[in-house]
Amino acid sequence: MEKFIPITDLINDNNATKEPPLQSTFEKYEKKFKALADQKRLHILNLLCQQDSSCVCDLSELIDMPQSKLSYHLKILLDANLIQKETKGTWSYYTVNTKEINHLLSPELCCLFRPSNCC
Amino acid sequence: MEKFIPITDLINDNNATKEPPLQSTFEKYEKKFKALADQKRLHILNLLCQQDSSCVCDLSELIDMPQSKLSYHLKILLDANLIQKETKGTWSYYTVNTKEINHLLSPELCCLFRPSNCC
DNA sequence: AGTTTAAATCAATTTTTTTTGATAAATAAA
DNA sequence: TTTATTTATCAAAAAAAATTGATTTAAACT
């Protein structure tokens, strides 16, 4: 059989390989998707958007996860800018960064990780 | 300082921990986000949606990646249902699963991984 | 002041993912 | 029919991420 050559290959000029700004775009989204690529963190996000604010010790009970483990996962979400932290005294309160989530995910999916009013 | 207790905590009943269907939802999306959580795979997706169809050997040149490595990453995308495969003779042609991408990602982001007409 | 609590961080271990080069299966081309 | 090409898969090694329990820091209580 003869190799099939799509029309677009004949039309497009192959500048596809040199994309200087795309590289850093991919890095940015890699980080964000890495943060989402874990059941536990998806669960955390889902819980966070049901409370409008939760401290680590409460979340730890809710999700039944040791504190150091939870802090580790919260940090990953925080570094990806998917959640935000506010410290009051010794407590750290975390909230979903709705704006960022909306920018990243489809409306259907956002509902899973967005305050309960939506869906 | 006294511990701050958000109003929603006083209102919501704490059924948050027992979510039998949510568990499998998280599993499903974990897999999809894992597939997206890699620069190389994002690059592959981006290239794939510029061609409407590419075989492994062409992609391998375009992205400058050894064949076995590329096949490995294509399989991860395929298993997550983010791309589709069609075999013609010895060649495998891959295309972006636009429907799935649209369901998952925001319109802004979809543009990065969707045929060039959009943005 | 002394004790307790909340949360972040650390180092060591375990688990998962990725890379690499080789091989196998199937088709194409000579 | 032989040879070359395309792609998937395999096993071993390397790299990255997650888990665990302990420690540290800081603030809150008594």
Side-chain angles (χ1 to χ4, degrees):
Chain A
M1 183 186 290
E2 218 175 286
K3 185 181 170 187
F4 165 74
I5 299 178
I7 308 166
T8 45
D9 280 13
L10 306 172
I11 297 171
N12 289 346
D13 53 346
N14 270 5
N15 287 348
T17 29
K18 29 174 169 164
E19 302 135 336
L22 272 187
Q23 173 68 14
S24 58
T25 306
F26 294 147
E27 277 175 35
K28 173 177 143 194
Y29 288 115
E30 178 186 63
K31 188 167 189 177
K32 289 179 193 294
F33 289 130
K34 272 213 167 94
L36 291 171
D38 183 286
Q39 278 186 66
K40 296 163 238 79
R41 291 194 287 268
L42 293 177
H43 191 185
I44 291 170
L45 275 180
N46 178 258
L47 287 175
L48 277 184
C49 67
Q50 290 174 47
Q51 279 75 40
D52 25 52
S53 175
S54 338
C55 63
V56 179
C57 57
D58 287 349
L59 255 186
S60 179
E61 275 193 11
L62 253 184
I63 206 178
D64 190 33
M65 187 183 278
Q67 178 266 320
S68 77
K69 190 175 176 178
L70 179 55
S71 283
Y72 167 78
H73 287 293
L74 285 169
K75 183 164 175 23
I76 287 173
L77 289 168
L78 187 67
D79 288 348
N81 197 29
L82 300 178
I83 61 175
Q84 291 161 320
K85 175 163 89 161
E86 192 185 356
T87 301
K88 291 184 186 171
T90 21
W91 291 276
S92 291
Y93 292 91
Y94 286 91
T95 52
V96 173
N97 186 345
T98 308
K99 193 170 178 181
E100 191 68 26
I101 294 280
N102 285 349
H103 171 70
L104 200 59
L105 303 182
S106 77
E108 303 99 284
L109 252 189
C110 283
C111 296
L112 261 176
F113 308 113
R114 193 151 60 179
S116 23
N117 32 324
C118 168
C119 305
Chain B
M1 185 188 287
E2 218 175 288
K3 184 181 169 189
F4 164 73
I5 299 177
I7 306 167
T8 45
D9 279 13
L10 305 172
I11 297 171
N12 291 346
D13 53 347
N14 272 3
N15 286 350
T17 28
K18 29 175 168 166
E19 302 136 335
L22 272 187
Q23 173 68 13
S24 58
T25 306
F26 294 147
E27 278 174 34
K28 174 177 142 197
Y29 288 116
E30 178 187 63
K31 187 167 190 177
K32 291 178 192 297
F33 289 130
K34 272 211 167 95
L36 292 171
D38 184 286
Q39 277 186 68
K40 295 163 237 80
R41 292 194 288 268
L42 292 178
H43 191 185
I44 291 169
L45 275 179
N46 178 257
L47 287 176
L48 277 184
C49 67
Q50 290 175 45
Q51 279 73 43
D52 26 51
S53 175
S54 338
C55 65
V56 180
C57 58
D58 287 350
L59 255 186
S60 179
E61 276 193 10
L62 252 184
I63 205 177
D64 189 33
M65 186 183 281
Q67 177 267 322
S68 78
K69 191 174 176 178
L70 179 55
S71 284
Y72 166 79
H73 287 293
L74 285 169
K75 183 164 174 23
I76 287 175
L77 289 167
L78 187 67
D79 289 347
N81 197 29
L82 299 179
I83 62 176
Q84 290 161 321
K85 173 164 90 163
E86 193 185 356
T87 301
K88 290 183 186 171
T90 23
W91 291 276
S92 290
Y93 292 91
Y94 286 92
T95 51
V96 173
N97 185 344
T98 309
K99 194 171 178 181
E100 191 67 27
I101 294 279
N102 284 349
H103 171 70
L104 200 58
L105 302 182
S106 77
E108 302 100 284
L109 252 189
C110 282
C111 296
L112 259 176
F113 309 114
R114 194 154 56 180
S116 24
N117 32 325
C118 169
C119 306

